[in-house]
Every structure is written in structure tokens, then in C-alpha cells.
Amino acid sequence: MVFVTRQAHFNAAHRLHNPEKSEEWNASTYGKCNYPNWHGHNYIIKVTVAGNPDPETGYVIDLGKLKQIMKDQILDPCDHRNLNLDVPFLKNIIPTSENLVKVFFDQLKDQVEAVASEGSVLYSVELFETERNIAEYCPFKHTIIK
Amino acid sequence: MVFVTRQAHFNAAHRLHNPEKSEEWNASTYGKCNYPNWHGHNYIIKVTVAGNPDPETGYVIDLGKLKQIMKDQILDPCDHRNLNLDVPFLKNIIPTSENLVKVFFDQLKDQVEAVASEGSVLYSVELFETERNIAEYCPFKHTIIK
Amino acid sequence: MVFVTRQAHFNAAHRLHNPEKSEEWNASTYGKCNYPNWHGHNYIIKVTVAGNPDPETGYVIDLGKLKQIMKDQILDPCDHRNLNLDVPFLKNIIPTSENLVKVFFDQLKDQVEAVASEGSVLYSVELFETERNIAEYCPFKHTIIK
Amino acid sequence: MVFVTRQAHFNAAHRLHNPEKSEEWNASTYGKCNYPNWHGHNYIIKVTVAGNPDPETGYVIDLGKLKQIMKDQILDPCDHRNLNLDVPFLKNIIPTSENLVKVFFDQLKDQVEAVASEGSVLYSVELFETERNIAEYCPFKHTIIK
Amino acid sequence: MVFVTRQAHFNAAHRLHNPEKSEEWNASTYGKCNYPNWHGHNYIIKVTVAGNPDPETGYVIDLGKLKQIMKDQILDPCDHRNLNLDVPFLKNIIPTSENLVKVFFDQLKDQVEAVASEGSVLYSVELFETERNIAEYCPFKHTIIK
Amino acid sequence: MVFVTRQAHFNAAHRLHNPEKSEEWNASTYGKCNYPNWHGHNYIIKVTVAGNPDPETGYVIDLGKLKQIMKDQILDPCDHRNLNLDVPFLKNIIPTSENLVKVFFDQLKDQVEAVASEGSVLYSVELFETERNIAEYCPFKHTIIK
């Protein structure tokens, strides 16, 4: 099994805020991430596809095609945008990194698997909010839940 | 001459917009950096002090003290904030990296030189908006202007 | 399944030495890592929690709380310390990266799982002794042992 | 289960070209990666061994020995070489990252497992063609193939 | 004086070889950098412009314009190419990093200064062949030559 | 004027302590850097030579020769050693980064200039104690001292 990863980046504003909760709940839950006038990040996204290399091309996926899908599906809608206000597929999503990776995975899955080698799957989406804060969605890594 | 540098980071939202100009001028000058709902960055700041090490301590400046001054003067006012709306010393400043490094230098100079070794000076402030876009203010590097 | 990772760092001295073995055995087994007067590293630690985001907060774990637990349990006892001499929970442990990640995992597990979202688990601890030498402890990644 | 990783690098030229296909097929499949006069990369390779630390040494594998095996088996044959023309074990391999990681894994497996702790296995080989394009071969991470 | 830097990258093949010298001289002077079938690098280039921010835009130079000039003048001719064979402006140049930065500076100077703020100059070009091997050309940093 | 830089690294233990001062002075001046049982760092050193490329080789300095001089003069004496106890040329030096860069410069100057191109000089030595704490010694960058 071979895993192929493409990394890209975008710069966006956001704010953590649950509109169904009080101001007090939001301030105490999210701290400075809840400040009203937004803050932002240089997000780095890594998208991994798992499969077997095509025998003719030697590719699990043409990284040029993966780059283009990531641009169309994630970077163009999100780059230099406000993740709470501007992105149609993030409507009603609290933009924590945990929630973003799940939505990004769903945005990418069909288009990625359509151009990858026979039998390959979108394996994971990893998002670096900063180099210290990272989230990953991967439906294939199972753990023993308590 | 010894140069000592301390690096720190903060995450903020901003937007490039000159309020004295038309919407058209702003859109065509700043492109996606002018989008109305803000975007943001993980800023990295590097502050450099130049001088001679104190013979008793071996320090040009105690980096613990420099870290604290950077926190008080730059990080606390800017981190998780909107650089256009929230920071008193950035009022009426278009927050390009070029403008930010000059203002940050002025914010730091007196306090840094008060705790550095005899004769040392604040030498430069460098700001990484991303790893690809960088600005530095340094009054000591002279170049031949055309 | 979502994986959330927090990265931190500490600077420490250590030496590889098995006191139950001869000087010759130690010198030939550990080479320059056995030098008597210690050496040191800028350790980077990455702690990963696996689970499902809490529907109200969107968090698998509040990274501010994870940061505080890592500070209390790992960074405060280890930073600027000698891992062979100064850290109570490393007593009688040869401080190879392999041994450190296992002990760090045990130091973190209960406190991390107490504040993570319902059903989440401490998934792995990864330690970078340098960017070239890395160890990870993860009880959930099974491999076929020969 | 503990995972130990060693990172190294080499600089090489290559070109993607399937000699059994037409010039047109190659140009349209590989784009600029098919340019005739070669291009090159600073490759970074990460090799991971999984096992239990030896109780006497605290090592899953002596990283000095792993470094030497990587040098003998991968770096010496590939560094400053042309991956299409110069490397015996890459003969008839289209040097995509996907194909390289599989071959590198086979080159390393026996020698690595001979010096690792009892029961340890070579777990994965990861290759960074650039920081944006990454491939990994790991026979132990299973995924559900469609 | 403010310094603004833009970073970009390209991947290329090259070989160090002085055609006016013997094979023996080349082999002993350049070692593995002289191997006949080429090797390659992920080059990183940093271009710095020095000047005063334009009072209306706050820019020393619009980094979008600088990015485009770097693409036209350096990246498009060099990316995925052979620096000895394919690049018209490198004809008869031995492609050491020292020689490359001087030529790149000359390729960029007029176009960069035409779009930068009044009085600004192209200050330096820095090239990372690897993160360990770096060259910079800067006509403004004077040193005392022996 | 072309500037050529070579980067290397070493891992060492140290402690900040002025033996001519009291324990109280040392504890209050150096804080945790004064802890008695040492701590350590992965030091990164960057050495820069300034000059004109030799017309026959295209080199300001053969980086292979610079690498060897750095190994002989700095890395072999310092790597996996205690900077306070083990290094002859650091005897009686308080190992702050400021003091280290000055001593390292003196250790390198004659040997570097002997193999660099005609008229070249050792320009600077930069030392990263961590990525956040950096010192540089450069006798050619003059600043206006107050």
C-alpha cells in the first residue's frame, strides 16, 4: 500500500463562536479564539491518497491533478476569506480545525477518487492551523474507543 | 559587533484598505488582500539587538527580558486581534508588512535599549507574514538610493 | 475519527548509560551518546488525541487545556533539566527516545482523557530528539511482529 | 509498540518517462516532469522501524547503525546521481516517488531487521520529493480498498 | 529603510563542469558535483527590494508583481530544466550558486525597479541549493577586502 | 560581492554560570539557564564567507572544504560534549551564544581564508541555540553605537 501526499496553503480569518450559546459560554469556552473582530492563520493542508501505483504511469495519483482539485475545492473558496462568513460549504460549521478537516475531506473525496489509480481511496486530510496545532481526519485509522 | 535575535509569533486578522481611496482603487491595488471580511496570518516576528556582550553576564541582552518586552509591546496587543480595528498603536496605519515593521520597531526601541548592554541598539525588526512574504525595518543598513 | 495534535518543546541534557553494565559495554553500545559530561537537545514533543469532536464546542480537546497538561506533566519537570538526574518520573530509566515516549505517554494519559471529548483517547506521543532522530509511542498502531 | 524514525537526504536528477509509450503519451502524462534534459530534487527520506525497545540498551534500533545502512543502501548509490541512468536497483523503474519508496523499502528490509531489537520490523519508508510532494510505503497500514 | 523579500522555488538539474579544463581537473575540483549524468536540487530563491513604502499603498513593492516577475524571469526558464543545457541566460556559465545569484540579480533588476516604489532598489538575491548550501549576491553590503 | 553560507549542527550540554560571582547573582541573572545539572541544545551554526567567485571554479569557497574545516574546528570538539567542561578553546568562557559566536569566528578565520578565493574574508558566524534564540558575530556590519 502506497500513500501519496500533497501539501498546499491558504490564509484565512476565522473566529470560534457557537451562535446557539451565550456570550459568556463562548468567552469562557473559546478564550481569545472568540474575540469578536476575528483573527487568522496561514493554514497548511496535507491531503493523502492511498492505493497502488498504476503500472503504466507509476502514479497512485497525478499530483498535478490533485493540486488542481485542492485549488478548486478548498483554496479558491477559502484563501483570503473569512471561514465563518464567506465559504458556502462551511455554513453553520464552527470552524475548529477538527470540524474543518471533516468538511474538507467530504469536499475532496469524489473528485480525488475519480482521477486516482484503480482502487485508490482518499485516505486523510491534515490541517495545520499553526505548526503547534494540528488536526487530521482519517476514516481508516481505527482506535479502541473507551 | 554581536547581533542577538529573538523570534516570536502571533496570529491576527487584517485587510489592506486605504480609506481615503475609492473601492475600485482598493480592489485593483490590493486584490484579494482587500476582500471585505478580513483574512489572517500566523505572523512570525524576529527582533535583533546589536552591541557588545556585557563582560559579567556574556549577554548583549537577556533574551528573557527581550521576550517579555516583545510580549507586552507587540504580542499581547496583536495576538488573536484584528490589526485594522483592535490595536491602538496601529490606528490609521494600512497594515502592510512594510508599515507594521516600522511601527513595531518604534514600539520596542526604548524598552529594549533600556535593558540591553551598554551602548547596544535595537538593530532591526523582521516580520514574516508567511514564509514567502517578509519585511524588515533596519535603520542601520544603508543602500545607495537611485 | 479525528486526530488532534499539540506540539511543544523543551531543552534538556542527558547521557545514555546503563549503570548495570561495564564502562566498556556502555562506550561501545552508545558511542558519543555515552560521553561522561552530558550533551543535550532541543526536544520537540507532539501529543495526539483521537476522538470525535464534541458537538457543542467542535473540539476533540481544548488545545489550551492540552497545552497546560503538557506543561505541568512534561515541560516543567524536564525543561533546562538533566533527564538522568533531575526528573522524578525518569528515575532508573535510560533516557533513549524510545524509553522517553513511553514514560511521557503514561504521564499524560489520565489527565488528557479527563478533559477530552466523550470517548476520546490519548493516541500517541512523538518525540524529536533532533529533526533526524524521532521516536513515537502509539498503542493503537498494530503491526505484524515476526 | 514504539516507532523509531531516522531522516536523511540526497540530491539527484531524474525524469519521468515510460519507454514503452510514445513521446506524445509521455508528454501529456508527465508534463514538465518529462522534459528531456532531466531535472532534480533534494530528496528527504524517513525510515521507520517498529518494535519494542531492547531492555538492556533501551533501543528499538541503534540509529547509528540505521544511518549507516541507509548510507550504504540508498544514499551512496543515489546521491548526486541520475535515478534513471546510474542506480542498478532502479533499472527499469519509472522513478516516481511511489515507485521509489517501494524499491527503497526492499533495499533496506533485511539489513535493518538484522540489527533491530528482537521482533522489530521495518515499518515504512517515506520520501519527500519536495515539502509539497510526499510518498510513503507501509505494508502495515491497511485501508479498505473500494 | 525597509526591506521586502519574496521567496519562491524551482526544481532543476545541473552539473559543475568547466569545459575549458581537463576531466581530471574537473573531477578533482568538483568531486561528486561533477558526475556526468547530472544531479539536481529543489532550489529556493529569496529576492529582496529596499526602499521606502509608498505613502498611498504602504508597499515598497506589490509582492504580487514581484512574484510575477520572478516567475517570468527565473522560474519559467529554470523550473524542471537543466541549468547547463536549457536556459539561454545561463549559457557559458558554470552553474555554481555563486554564479547563479549574480545572473539572477541581473535578470531581475530592471523589471523589479520599474514597479517598486519611488527610489527603491533591488537589494539582493539569495539562493538555497539546499538548506545547508546558500549563496547571496548583494552589491550594497560592503566588506573590507584583504 | 557574493556571500556563501554553509550550515551544520551539533548537540551539546551547557550551563550559564559566572564562577567569579555568587550563587545568588548567578541564579537571579541566568534563571533556569543556571540550573546546576546542565541542560542542552541542538545548535545550528551558519558560517558565511564574502568574496568574488574564482573565475576558473565559480567558487567563493569550495563548500566541501568549508564543511571539513567546520567539522575539524567546531563540530568535533563540541558535538555531544559539555561546552563548560570539555572544549579547550572555550575554557574560561561563559557559554552564552554571544560569546560562542565570537570564539567560533576566531577558530575558523585563518583556515577558512586560506582556502577561499583570492581576497575573500570570513564574514560572519551565526548560531541558533534554538530557532527562537540566535546570535551572530560579524565584524563588517557596523552600526551607530549610542
Side-chain angles (χ1 to χ4, degrees):
Chain A
M1 181 66 48
V2 178
F3 300 82
V4 180
T5 299
R6 173 74 192 174
Q7 177 182 299
H9 60 272
F10 62 94
N11 310 319
H14 81 152
R15 175 199 185 203
L16 300 186
H17 185 81
N18 183 336
E20 300 184 353
K21 296 285 185 173
S22 68
E23 289 303 315
E24 291 71 26
W25 184 94
N26 276 288
S28 95
T29 301
Y30 294 123
K32 62 187 179 179
C33 298
N34 181 245
Y35 285 171
N37 287 328
W38 321 99
H39 63 280
H41 297 291
N42 302 331
Y43 286 97
I44 294 176
I45 181 172
K46 297 176 91 162
V47 175
T48 298
V49 180
N52 289 306
D54 177 277
E56 288 196 341
T57 63
Y59 280 161
V60 167
I61 187 169
D62 179 339
L63 286 179
K65 291 180 183 166
L66 177 54
K67 179 184 177 181
Q68 187 63 45
I69 294 169
M70 289 166 67
K71 182 176 185 299
D72 295 342
Q73 297 295 101
I74 310 288
L75 308 189
D76 282 351
C78 294
D79 188 33
H80 282 71
R81 295 295 185 183
N82 184 310
L83 301 182
N84 301 63
L85 302 178
D86 293 334
V87 185
F89 59 80
L90 293 177
K91 210 174 172 66
N92 300 321
I93 301 284
I94 303 171
T96 60
S97 297
E98 289 94 321
N99 285 341
L100 292 174
V101 286
K102 177 65 173 69
V103 176
F104 290 168
F105 190 96
D106 294 339
Q107 281 293 111
L108 293 166
K109 183 174 175 57
D110 289 349
Q111 293 199 21
V112 166
E113 296 184 354
V115 301
S117 70
E118 180 68 22
S120 292
V121 292
L122 178 61
Y123 180 75
S124 70
V125 172
E126 194 177 11
L127 188 70
F128 293 69
E129 196 180 72
T130 70
E131 70 172 335
R132 288 162 294 283
N133 293 352
I134 310 163
E136 181 188 14
Y137 177 73
C138 175
F140 299 105
K141 284 196 233 172
H142 299 288
T143 65
I144 300 154
I145 296 295
K146 288 185 294 189
Chain B
M1 183 65 49
V2 178
F3 300 82
V4 179
T5 299
R6 174 75 193 174
Q7 177 181 299
H9 60 271
F10 62 94
N11 311 319
H14 81 153
R15 175 197 184 201
L16 300 185
H17 185 80
N18 183 337
E20 300 184 353
K21 297 285 186 173
S22 69
E23 290 302 315
E24 292 71 27
W25 184 93
N26 275 289
S28 94
T29 300
Y30 294 123
K32 62 186 179 180
C33 297
N34 182 245
Y35 285 171
N37 287 329
W38 322 99
H39 63 280
H41 297 292
N42 303 331
Y43 286 98
I44 294 175
I45 181 172
K46 297 175 91 162
V47 174
T48 298
V49 179
N52 289 307
D54 178 276
E56 288 196 341
T57 63
Y59 279 160
V60 167
I61 187 169
D62 179 340
L63 286 178
K65 291 181 183 167
L66 178 53
K67 178 184 178 182
Q68 186 63 44
I69 294 169
M70 291 166 67
K71 181 175 186 299
D72 293 342
Q73 296 296 101
I74 309 290
L75 308 190
D76 283 351
C78 294
D79 187 34
H80 283 70
R81 295 295 186 184
N82 185 309
L83 301 182
N84 300 63
L85 302 177
D86 293 333
V87 185
F89 59 79
L90 294 176
K91 210 173 170 66
N92 299 322
I93 301 284
I94 303 171
T96 61
S97 297
E98 290 94 321
N99 285 342
L100 292 175
V101 286
K102 179 65 172 70
V103 176
F104 289 168
F105 190 95
D106 294 340
Q107 281 293 111
L108 292 166
K109 184 174 173 59
D110 290 349
Q111 292 200 20
V112 166
E113 296 183 354
V115 300
S117 71
E118 180 69 22
S120 292
V121 293
L122 178 60
Y123 180 76
S124 70
V125 171
E126 195 177 11
L127 188 70
F128 293 70
E129 195 180 74
T130 70
E131 71 172 336
R132 289 162 295 282
N133 293 354
I134 309 163
E136 182 188 14
Y137 178 73
C138 175
F140 299 105
K141 285 196 232 170
H142 299 288
T143 64
I144 299 153
I145 295 295
K146 288 185 296 187
Chain C
M1 183 66 48
V2 179
F3 301 81
V4 180
T5 299
R6 173 74 192 174
Q7 177 181 299
H9 60 271
F10 63 93
N11 311 319
H14 81 151
R15 176 198 183 200
L16 301 186
H17 185 81
N18 183 336
E20 300 185 353
K21 297 284 186 175
S22 69
E23 289 302 313
E24 291 70 29
W25 185 93
N26 276 288
S28 96
T29 300
Y30 294 123
K32 62 186 179 179
C33 298
N34 181 244
Y35 284 171
N37 288 328
W38 322 99
H39 63 280
H41 298 291
N42 302 331
Y43 286 97
I44 294 176
I45 180 171
K46 299 177 89 162
V47 174
T48 298
V49 180
N52 289 306
D54 177 276
E56 289 197 341
T57 63
Y59 279 160
V60 167
I61 187 169
D62 179 339
L63 286 179
K65 289 180 184 167
L66 178 53
K67 178 184 179 182
Q68 186 64 44
I69 294 169
M70 291 165 67
K71 181 174 185 301
D72 294 342
Q73 296 295 101
I74 309 289
L75 308 190
D76 282 351
C78 294
D79 188 33
H80 282 70
R81 295 295 185 183
N82 185 309
L83 301 182
N84 301 63
L85 301 178
D86 293 334
V87 185
F89 60 80
L90 294 176
K91 211 172 171 65
N92 299 321
I93 302 285
I94 303 171
T96 60
S97 297
E98 290 94 322
N99 285 342
L100 293 174
V101 286
K102 177 65 173 67
V103 175
F104 290 169
F105 190 95
D106 294 339
Q107 282 293 111
L108 293 166
K109 184 174 173 60
D110 290 348
Q111 293 200 19
V112 166
E113 296 184 354
V115 301
S117 69
E118 180 69 20
S120 293
V121 292
L122 178 61
Y123 180 74
S124 70
V125 171
E126 195 177 11
L127 188 71
F128 293 69
E129 195 180 73
T130 71
E131 72 172 334
R132 288 162 295 283
N133 293 352
I134 309 163
E136 181 188 14
Y137 177 73
C138 176
F140 300 105
K141 285 196 231 170
H142 299 288
T143 65
I144 299 153
I145 295 295
K146 287 186 295 187
Chain D
M1 181 68 47
V2 178
F3 300 82
V4 179
T5 299
R6 174 75 193 173
Q7 177 181 299
H9 60 271
F10 62 93
N11 311 317
H14 82 152
R15 175 199 184 200
L16 301 186
H17 185 81
N18 183 337
E20 300 184 353
K21 297 285 186 173
S22 69
E23 290 302 315
E24 291 70 28
W25 184 93
N26 275 288
S28 95
T29 300
Y30 294 124
K32 62 186 178 179
C33 297
N34 182 245
Y35 285 171
N37 288 328
W38 322 99
H39 63 280
H41 297 291
N42 302 331
Y43 286 97
I44 293 175
I45 181 172
K46 297 175 92 162
V47 174
T48 298
V49 179
N52 289 305
D54 178 276
E56 288 196 342
T57 63
Y59 280 160
V60 167
I61 187 169
D62 178 339
L63 287 179
K65 291 180 183 166
L66 178 53
K67 179 184 179 183
Q68 186 63 44
I69 294 169
M70 291 165 67
K71 181 174 186 299
D72 294 342
Q73 296 296 101
I74 310 290
L75 307 190
D76 283 351
C78 295
D79 187 34
H80 283 70
R81 295 296 185 182
N82 185 309
L83 302 182
N84 301 62
L85 303 177
D86 293 334
V87 185
F89 60 79
L90 294 176
K91 210 172 171 67
N92 300 320
I93 302 284
I94 304 170
T96 60
S97 297
E98 290 94 321
N99 285 342
L100 293 175
V101 286
K102 178 65 173 68
V103 176
F104 289 169
F105 190 96
D106 294 339
Q107 281 294 111
L108 292 166
K109 184 174 173 59
D110 290 348
Q111 293 200 20
V112 166
E113 296 184 354
V115 301
S117 70
E118 181 69 21
S120 292
V121 292
L122 178 61
Y123 180 75
S124 71
V125 171
E126 195 177 11
L127 188 71
F128 293 70
E129 196 180 74
T130 71
E131 70 172 336
R132 289 163 295 285
N133 293 352
I134 309 163
E136 181 188 15
Y137 177 73
C138 176
F140 299 105
K141 284 196 233 171
H142 299 288
T143 65
I144 300 153
I145 295 296
K146 286 185 297 189
Chain E
M1 182 64 51
V2 178
F3 300 81
V4 180
T5 299
R6 173 75 192 173
Q7 177 180 299
H9 59 271
F10 63 94
N11 312 319
H14 81 152
R15 176 200 184 200
L16 300 186
H17 185 82
N18 184 336
E20 300 183 353
K21 297 285 187 173
S22 69
E23 289 303 314
E24 291 70 29
W25 184 94
N26 276 287
S28 95
T29 300
Y30 294 123
K32 62 186 180 180
C33 298
N34 181 244
Y35 285 171
N37 287 328
W38 322 98
H39 63 280
H41 298 292
N42 302 330
Y43 286 97
I44 294 176
I45 180 172
K46 298 175 90 163
V47 174
T48 299
V49 180
N52 289 307
D54 177 276
E56 289 196 340
T57 63
Y59 279 160
V60 167
I61 187 169
D62 179 338
L63 286 179
K65 291 180 183 167
L66 178 52
K67 179 184 178 182
Q68 186 62 46
I69 294 169
M70 289 165 67
K71 181 175 186 299
D72 294 342
Q73 296 296 102
I74 310 289
L75 307 189
D76 282 352
C78 295
D79 188 33
H80 283 70
R81 296 295 186 182
N82 184 310
L83 301 182
N84 301 64
L85 302 177
D86 293 333
V87 185
F89 60 80
L90 294 176
K91 210 173 172 64
N92 300 322
I93 302 284
I94 304 170
T96 60
S97 297
E98 290 93 322
N99 285 341
L100 293 174
V101 286
K102 178 65 175 66
V103 176
F104 290 169
F105 190 96
D106 294 340
Q107 282 293 111
L108 292 166
K109 183 174 174 61
D110 290 348
Q111 293 200 21
V112 166
E113 295 184 354
V115 301
S117 70
E118 181 69 21
S120 293
V121 293
L122 178 60
Y123 180 75
S124 70
V125 171
E126 194 177 12
L127 188 70
F128 293 69
E129 196 180 73
T130 70
E131 70 173 334
R132 289 162 294 282
N133 293 351
I134 309 162
E136 181 188 15
Y137 177 73
C138 175
F140 299 105
K141 283 196 233 171
H142 298 289
T143 65
I144 301 154
I145 296 294
K146 289 183 296 187
Chain F
M1 183 65 51
V2 178
F3 300 82
V4 180
T5 299
R6 173 76 192 173
Q7 177 182 300
H9 61 271
F10 62 93
N11 311 319
H14 82 151
R15 175 198 184 200
L16 300 186
H17 184 81
N18 184 336
E20 299 184 354
K21 297 285 186 175
S22 70
E23 289 302 315
E24 291 69 28
W25 184 93
N26 275 289
S28 95
T29 299
Y30 294 123
K32 62 186 179 180
C33 298
N34 181 245
Y35 285 172
N37 288 328
W38 321 100
H39 63 280
H41 297 291
N42 302 330
Y43 286 97
I44 294 176
I45 180 170
K46 299 177 90 163
V47 174
T48 299
V49 179
N52 289 307
D54 178 277
E56 289 196 340
T57 62
Y59 280 160
V60 167
I61 187 169
D62 179 339
L63 286 179
K65 290 180 183 166
L66 178 53
K67 178 184 178 182
Q68 186 64 43
I69 295 169
M70 290 165 67
K71 181 175 185 299
D72 294 342
Q73 297 295 102
I74 309 290
L75 307 190
D76 282 351
C78 295
D79 188 33
H80 282 71
R81 294 296 185 183
N82 185 308
L83 302 182
N84 301 62
L85 301 178
D86 293 333
V87 185
F89 61 80
L90 294 176
K91 210 172 171 66
N92 300 321
I93 302 285
I94 303 170
T96 61
S97 297
E98 290 94 321
N99 285 342
L100 292 174
V101 286
K102 178 65 173 67
V103 176
F104 289 168
F105 190 95
D106 294 339
Q107 282 293 111
L108 293 166
K109 184 173 173 61
D110 289 349
Q111 293 200 20
V112 166
E113 296 184 354
V115 301
S117 70
E118 181 69 21
S120 294
V121 292
L122 178 61
Y123 180 75
S124 70
V125 171
E126 195 178 10
L127 187 71
F128 293 69
E129 196 180 74
T130 70
E131 71 172 334
R132 289 162 295 283
N133 293 353
I134 310 163
E136 182 188 14
Y137 177 73
C138 175
F140 299 104
K141 285 196 231 169
H142 298 287
T143 64
I144 299 153
I145 296 294
K146 288 185 296 186

